[in-house]
Amino acid sequence: MATSRRDKADSYTQRAHKEGYPARSVYKLEEIQQSCRIMKPGDKVLDVGAAPGSWTLYVHRQILKGKGDIVSVDLNPLNLNPVPPTVTMFVGDAFSKEIRAKLTERGPYDAIISDAAPMTTGNRSVDTSRSEYLAEQVVMLADEQLKPHGNLVIKIFQGGGQEAILKDLRTKYAKAKTLKPKACRSDSFETYLIGLDKNQ
Ligand SMILES: C[S@@+](CC[C@H](N)C(=O)[O-])C[C@H]1O[C@@H](n2cnc3c(N)ncnc32)[C@H](O)[C@@H]1O
């Protein structure tokens, strides 16, 4: 019998559990990293919308390996025990004045990765417009806090202003594209916008 994509998605959950990651979303970042080389050892990385912490843990374990720093921010605390020594965590709205000041203190960053997503309502047009708003906020954060030549990853729900944001990224980065990792559930309408090599 053929394996459905939902079965495959379940296998990502099992693998995350086995490998000690709090969420299966880690394999989306793994695929993005393998395809686009977003981060490297020694980098200072900002993870926006980081909880429960799979992306942060992946960056710590698989990329920085003790060399570099991760600043993680979310409305909720990370569910990592222990929090790795390379990680500084902030709890709050990543785009608030207070948190942005803290992010600036620790910046600028070599890479900004954002898996931030709104609480979904089930109303697709509400959800996509909230996701679009978050994605625009991340682009602005990267305008301020990403180093020249830095790389950016942003989650967005398809159907919102994805094309307009991509067009904007093409004016700010040497390369910008969309990537939908295989680890995304087949019924999910999320995708990722990637900006590579930020202009000076
Ligand atoms: C899909 S989860 C991220 C999963 C994470 N990448 C991981 O691998 O564990 C999306 C997160 O975005 C966060 N989020 C949404 N809006 C935010 C905001 N304004 N500031 C900070 N975090 C936000 C949510 O609290 C939620 O934890």
Side-chain angles (χ1 to χ4, degrees):
M1 194 169 60
T3 309
S4 72
R5 260 195 99 178
R6 173 62 76 173
D7 290 341
K8 194 156 185 207
D10 289 345
S11 79
Y12 286 117
T13 305
Q14 284 168 18
R15 190 176 147 204
H17 185 72
K18 214 160 91 189
E19 295 179 357
Y21 289 105
R24 63 190 290 294
S25 50
V26 59
Y27 304 112
K28 301 174 200 171
L29 181 62
E30 180 181 67
E31 194 177 328
I32 292 168
Q33 171 68 12
Q34 283 170 356
S35 148
C36 304
R37 301 255 163 250
I38 302 292
M39 297 160 280
K40 59 183 184 318
D43 276 356
K44 188 180 282 194
V45 178
L46 173 60
D47 184 358
V48 180
S54 293
W55 281 26
T56 291
L57 189 58
Y58 174 82
V59 175
H60 168 76
R61 277 185 185 169
Q62 303 296 335
I63 297 169
L64 301 189
K65 299 178 179 170
K67 292 188 200 117
D69 295 292
I70 311 166
V71 175
S72 300
V73 58
D74 200 287
L75 299 169
N76 302 301
L78 297 180
N79 185 16
L80 298 178
N81 191 9
V83 174
T86 47
V87 177
T88 303
M89 180 178 78
F90 296 119
V91 179
D93 179 349
F95 315 108
S96 66
K97 209 170 151 194
E98 187 200 350
I99 297 283
R100 273 185 28 215
K102 292 181 177 178
L103 300 181
T104 305
E105 252 173 51
R106 282 156 181 83
Y109 301 92
D110 299 287
I112 297 181
I113 54 174
S114 172
D115 197 25
M119 288 270 278
T120 48
T121 62
N123 178 324
R124 181 146 177 189
S125 76
V126 171
D127 294 343
T128 49
S129 78
R130 288 182 181 168
S131 168
E132 180 185 340
Y133 175 74
L134 281 176
E136 286 168 351
Q137 297 285 310
V138 177
V139 173
M140 285 194 273
L141 199 63
D143 290 347
E144 288 170 15
Q145 315 238 6
L146 186 62
K147 291 182 192 173
H149 305 297
N151 298 323
L152 176 67
V153 176
I154 310 174
K155 170 151 63 195
I156 189 164
F157 292 168
Q158 289 164 284
Q162 179 190 330
E163 285 308 319
I165 297 175
L166 195 58
K167 203 169 154 195
D168 181 34
L169 292 181
R170 289 197 169 118
T171 69
K172 298 173 175 170
Y173 293 80
K175 195 169 177 196
K177 61 178 187 173
T178 305
L179 197 159
K180 182 163 178 123
K182 291 187 189 71
C184 291
R185 293 185 194 276
S186 55
D187 53 2
S188 147
F189 49 98
E190 71 186 4
T191 192
Y192 292 84
L193 301 177
I194 317 278
L196 298 172
D197 193 2
K198 187 186 178 195
N199 298 342
Q200 298 262 17

